[in-house]
Amino acid sequence: ATNIAFYPLLADSNDASGHLGPMTLVNTPFAGGGIYCDGQYATTSANTPTLTDLDFSGFLIAAEFMVTNATRTTPVFVGGNNWRWGGFYVRSDGRVGMLYNDTLSYSATLPYATNQWHQAVLRYTETNQTFEIYLDGRLADRQQVAIIANNDRTLSVSHYGSGNTFDGYLRNLRIYNLAP
């Protein structure tokens, strides 16, 4: 795998790998060991710069997250601002969900715990046209479908089509291209 960006989000919004500029953070203070997103779509956002080197033939996006209140289904992160090609969700029923091509899959049965750090991973491989999400290293969902990205190389804590923003803490956002 090739590192595209690494945002620790512990004290600043800089890419620790030096490949990209800082994330744009709006009303997301550094707190609780990461950034805090209050789930308010209209006033809170955290966005990477354009991921110019992201290879849609194979990539992996990972982040650590903590949900403090699981009353709504929200993204942890979403790839694509104009066309949402992939993402990792926390659902109001205490389970995780996967977004692919702007479709939210409810197939995952793995639960997450509130007030506890978890690792979210979204992986896509073009050779077998497969999206996968992992929660704490365990496969949570797999969908076989070709990615439709429309060349939108952005990543955010918001789903700009549905008006949902992550509600919780986020840190250690990592983005990789996978070797073919």
Side-chain angles (χ1 to χ4, degrees), residues 80-149:
N81 289 343
N82 297 315
W83 178 259
R84 278 67 57 186
W85 41 263
F88 191 101
Y89 268 69
V90 288
R91 300 176 356 208
S92 60
D93 65 1
R95 299 169 194 254
V96 296
M98 175 173 50
L99 185 77
Y100 60 91
N101 297 335
D102 219 9
T103 299
L104 185 58
S105 171
Y106 287 93
S107 299
T109 58
L110 288 181
Y112 65 91
T114 58
N115 300 308
Q116 178 180 322
W117 284 103
H118 295 281
Q119 184 182 51
V121 173
L122 171 71
R123 178 186 169 117
Y124 178 75
T125 51
E126 185 178 56
T127 53
N128 57 4
Q129 296 185 332
T130 303
F131 279 95
E132 297 172 327
I133 60 168
Y134 295 83
L135 175 66
D136 299 328
R138 296 175 54 206
L139 179 65
D141 195 2
R142 176 182 290 134
Q143 299 292 327
Q144 195 160 10
V145 60
I147 192 171
I148 303 171

